[in-house]
Amino acid sequence: MSPADPAPAPAAPSPARSGRGVFVVFEGGDGAGKSTQVRRLVETLRAGGHDVVRTREPGGTPLGETLRGLVLDPAHAPVDARTEALLFAAARAAHVEQLIRPALAAGRTVVSDRFADSSAAYQGAGRGLGVDRVAALNDWATAGLVPDLTVLLDVPAGTGRARRELRDGRDGDRLETEPDAFHDANRQAFLALAARDPGRYLVLDAVRPPEELAAEVAEAVHARLAGHPRPTAEVGA
Ligand code: TYD
């Protein structure tokens, strides 16, 4: 390139949508039933011969799981909001780079329990850092990776709390034990994010029976998969 040539355009971030695999994320408040729905979807997809990577945030890699332990441990309270947002974003950057992008590039389906919207909601709205600001931080951390489908399991804060108490007793992690007002702010932020990009979200009333929710999720995911090549899991994988 001669010095007179125009500078090349900066490399565009490569959203998952342009990759070969399909990236599905579950979001929602604590006690929404994400783990159950993630498990059911992964079972359904695998039974249909799809090669699926199941993962979660914070976590997904050894570094991410270590950061998870640090950021959720009540022994570290109080953690200021910026530190908290950066720890989640750091775990996410490693997760995307080390696990999610390689899996999508290999044509695998990735199903993650939480992703960047959790930070936009919990740290942006709940902690008051600003939804757009935290979303921008995470856009940088993920180099622009966007899920193909985000399933938002919507529950009122009180319902989520009651379910958590039933599940775990009264102890929860540093975020779960925040008051209902915190969880309600998160909920409104999730709903607002979904409303901005309705084609990419499936918003479900998570108070409904799990079987019904699982059926709707499976239908939506199969619709996304229909447009993609379909690598099958190797025998024994
Ligand atoms: P989660 O794994 O859903 O909780 P559980 O262990 O009960 O299944 O998430 C852990 C907590 O971390 C949850 O309260 C939400 C919070 N969180 C954030 O605040 N920001 C984030 O970016 C993420 C991924 C999670």
Side-chain angles (χ1 to χ4, degrees), residues 45-53 107-109 230-237:
L45 291 175
R46 286 187 177 149
H50 290 280
D51 184 4
V52 183
V53 176
R108 309 180 74 188
T109 301
R230 190 180 177 212
T232 47
E234 285 166 33
V235 176

Side-chain angles (χ1 to χ4, degrees), residues 61-136:
T61 66
L63 177 61
E65 291 294 332
T66 303
L67 286 166
R68 178 187 181 91
L70 289 174
V71 74
L72 297 181
D73 188 347
H76 292 302
V79 177
D80 71 278
R82 283 192 172 79
T83 303
E84 187 177 279
L86 288 165
L87 286 170
F88 280 117
R92 183 164 298 124
H95 191 202
V96 167
E97 188 62 26
Q98 294 171 11
L99 189 122
I100 300 176
R101 278 195 195 271
L104 294 172
R108 309 180 74 188
T109 301
V110 177
V111 179
S112 184
D113 189 337
R114 298 194 182 280
F115 192 62
D117 284 358
S118 280
S119 282
Y122 280 74
Q123 282 66 55
R127 296 292 192 222
L129 291 177
V131 170
D132 289 338
R133 189 183 284 186
V134 174

Side-chain angles (χ1 to χ4, degrees), residues 1 13 20 34 59 67 85 106 133 151 165 182 202 211 222:
M1 187 171 84
R20 292 205 301 130
K34 286 182 289 80
L67 286 166
R133 189 183 284 186
V151 179
E165 285 171 2
F182 174 84
L202 174 66
E211 305 72 42
H222 279 117

Side-chain angles (χ1 to χ4, degrees), residues 31-235:
K34 286 182 289 80
S35 310
T36 304
Q37 292 301 327
V38 166
R39 183 177 42 75
R40 294 183 81 133
L41 175 64
V42 169
E43 283 170 7
T44 301
L45 291 175
R46 286 187 177 149
H50 290 280
D51 184 4
V52 183
V53 176
R54 175 182 174 175
T55 188
R56 68 171 181 177
E57 291 210 343
T61 66
L63 177 61
E65 291 294 332
T66 303
L67 286 166
R68 178 187 181 91
L70 289 174
V71 74
L72 297 181
D73 188 347
H76 292 302
V79 177
D80 71 278
R82 283 192 172 79
T83 303
E84 187 177 279
L86 288 165
L87 286 170
F88 280 117
R92 183 164 298 124
H95 191 202
V96 167
E97 188 62 26
Q98 294 171 11
L99 189 122
I100 300 176
R101 278 195 195 271
L104 294 172
R108 309 180 74 188
T109 301
V110 177
V111 179
S112 184
D113 189 337
R114 298 194 182 280
F115 192 62
D117 284 358
S118 280
S119 282
Y122 280 74
Q123 282 66 55
R127 296 292 192 222
L129 291 177
V131 170
D132 289 338
R133 189 183 284 186
V134 174
L137 168 71
N138 281 280
D139 189 49
W140 180 78
T142 64
L145 184 69
V146 176
D148 295 283
L149 175 69
T150 297
V151 179
L152 174 56
L153 296 177
D154 178 50
V155 277
T159 308
R161 177 172 34 75
R163 286 183 178 176
R164 292 196 303 276
E165 285 171 2
L166 214 58
R167 187 189 65 191
D168 309 331
R170 294 220 160 246
D171 294 342
D173 66 42
R174 226 169 35 72
L175 283 299
E176 282 175 341
T177 50
E178 290 291 337
D180 282 1
F182 174 84
H183 292 284
D184 193 51
N186 301 343
R187 179 190 185 200
Q188 300 311 327
F190 277 128
L191 290 169
L193 287 166
R196 282 187 200 174
D197 195 0
R200 206 170 56 69
Y201 285 81
L202 174 66
V203 181
L204 296 174
D205 172 1
V207 179
R208 291 168 51 208
E211 305 72 42
E212 278 181 35
L213 299 174
E216 284 193 37
V217 170
E219 196 185 319
V221 172
H222 279 117
R224 298 301 193 283
L225 285 165
H228 283 251
R230 190 180 177 212
T232 47
E234 285 166 33
V235 176

